[in-house]
Amino acid sequence: MEEFQTTDGRGKHNQVFTWLQQVFGQDHIPQFEINSFTLNVLERLAKRNLKQNKHAELVTKDRTQKTVEYSAEVERLSRITEQVGLPVSCMSQSGRMSLKTLASMALLLGTKDCSTSSLLLGIAEQNQALSAAVDANTEEKRLLSRLVVKTKKAQADASDLQRSLDGLQDQIALQTPQLKKNAQETDFVKLKCKEYEKSNRELEGYQSKAQLDSSIYHNSLVKKAEEVRLIEEKMKPMKRKLEGYHSLPPDISQAKVKVEEAKMQLEMLEKQLSVSIDTLHL
């Protein structure tokens, strides 16, 4: 059967029915419900079956060709051994085992014959395949090592995040009562603000009705207090100067007497100083 072609529903049914006839041959084809689902399933099975059949046919042809080649090689080797007087029937057990081993090696390596060059090429190909497998294995190990490192780092990060989460949950558990208390206090403050706003509006209404003087307002009082403070600062030097005048006597004659007394006291102090200096010189 040829490859399936893309056709309509009727053409697909004919192709599937033809494939079933080839599969069952003379046997009766089992009954099945004909709908789009079953036709699609059978079509996929038919395509896969045809593909496998083609692959098996190619493998069979290859095996047949190799069998012919190996048979020819056996005949050639038999002729050679017979020419040198060593037919297979006359070989020792060791020789036959060596020949069998050589044939098995040729089959294993997939060579076209048992010549030295073919065997060496087969061995070289196997070595290349082995080297490629070793390189791939090494690369896989490197990748696995990197993945292990990343996995460990991810696990450590996950542990840190879990600890942080646990800490945050503990903080939430500890702060929840305080937050509730703060919320209650906030509600209380909001209520007080509303009360103060209401009281402020009432006072403003009372102020407008009473027509109070603006000089008793808070801003005016603060400004006047600042002016008083500046005046007091300016008066401090004048007060200190006035206090100096308070120590003087009220009469000029008494002031002269005070001056004379001060002069006499000064002369006495000078005499005492002279006596003290003379005593030091002695």
Side-chain angles (χ1 to χ4, degrees):
M1 182 178 179
E2 299 296 333
E3 292 288 340
F4 272 67
Q5 303 294 329
T6 303
T7 58
D8 55 3
R10 186 173 183 81
K12 184 184 295 185
H13 175 265
N14 293 333
Q15 290 180 350
V16 169
F17 186 74
T18 303
W19 171 72
L20 290 174
Q21 285 180 337
Q22 291 180 354
V23 172
F24 288 96
Q26 299 298 327
D27 296 334
H28 180 69
I29 299 175
Q31 294 183 356
F32 60 92
E33 183 179 355
I34 300 175
N35 53 40
S36 59
F37 176 75
T38 56
L39 288 177
N40 290 331
V41 172
L42 290 173
E43 183 184 15
R44 289 197 295 271
L45 289 174
K47 289 181 178 179
R48 183 171 297 179
N49 180 259
L50 292 174
K51 185 177 180 180
Q52 293 295 330
N53 288 341
K54 182 176 290 186
H55 179 71
E57 183 179 354
L58 293 175
V59 172
T60 302
K61 288 181 179 180
D62 181 68
R63 297 296 183 186
T64 303
Q65 180 66 26
K66 286 186 177 180
T67 301
V68 173
E69 292 176 357
Y70 287 143
S71 298
E73 183 66 14
V74 169
E75 292 179 359
R76 187 180 70 83
L77 292 175
S78 297
R79 287 195 301 270
I80 293 173
T81 54
E82 288 176 357
Q83 288 176 2
V84 297
L86 291 173
V88 177
S89 59
C90 297
M91 285 185 179
S92 63
Q93 183 67 23
S94 177
R96 286 196 294 271
M97 288 298 296
S98 298
L99 185 60
K100 185 176 180 180
T101 302
L102 184 62
S104 299
M105 185 179 296
L107 288 173
L108 180 63
L109 296 176
T111 58
K112 64 180 181 179
D113 52 34
C114 296
S115 62
T116 303
S117 59
S118 297
L119 293 174
L120 290 176
L121 287 174
I123 293 172
E125 290 177 356
Q126 292 298 322
N127 287 332
Q128 290 179 356
L130 177 61
S131 178
V134 170
D135 293 339
N137 188 25
T138 304
E139 184 63 26
E140 289 291 335
K141 287 182 179 179
R142 291 198 193 97
L143 179 60
L144 180 61
S145 299
R146 290 195 293 269
L147 290 176
V148 168
V149 172
K150 290 182 179 180
T151 302
K152 290 181 178 179
K153 186 177 182 300
Q155 290 176 348
D157 294 341
S159 299
D160 294 339
L161 290 174
Q162 185 63 41
R163 285 194 294 271
S164 300
L165 179 60
D166 294 339
L168 290 175
Q169 289 177 348
D170 294 338
Q171 291 181 5
I172 291 172
L174 293 174
Q175 293 178 0
T176 298
Q178 184 63 33
L179 292 175
K180 290 182 179 179
K181 183 179 178 181
N182 293 339
Q184 293 175 356
E185 292 178 353
T186 302
D187 295 337
F188 176 75
V189 171
K190 289 181 179 178
L191 182 61
K192 284 296 182 182
C193 288
K194 291 181 180 179
E195 292 179 358
Y196 291 151
E197 289 177 356
K198 181 179 179 182
S199 177
N200 190 24
R201 287 194 297 270
E202 291 177 354
L203 291 174
E204 288 178 353
Y206 173 75
Q207 178 182 340
S208 60
K209 290 179 180 180
Q211 296 181 355
L212 298 176
D213 188 5
S214 61
S215 61
I216 64 173
Y217 289 172
H218 177 72
N219 293 333
S220 299
L221 294 176
V222 171
K223 186 176 180 181
K224 289 181 178 180
E226 182 66 20
E227 292 176 355
V228 170
R229 187 185 65 80
L230 294 175
I231 293 172
E232 289 178 349
E233 290 292 333
K234 291 180 180 180
M235 289 178 63
K236 284 181 180 180
M238 299 174 67
K239 286 182 178 180
R240 287 194 294 270
K241 187 175 181 180
L242 182 61
E243 288 175 357
Y245 289 123
H246 286 169
S247 61
L248 296 176
D251 192 2
I252 187 64
S253 59
Q254 292 181 359
K256 290 180 178 180
V257 172
K258 289 286 186 181
V259 171
E260 291 297 329
E261 289 178 354
K263 287 181 179 180
M264 291 175 64
Q265 290 179 359
L266 180 59
E267 289 177 357
M268 291 176 63
L269 290 173
E270 287 178 352
K271 289 179 180 180
Q272 290 178 0
L273 179 61
S274 298
V275 172
S276 298
I277 292 172
D278 293 338
T279 304
L280 290 174
H281 285 297
L282 293 176

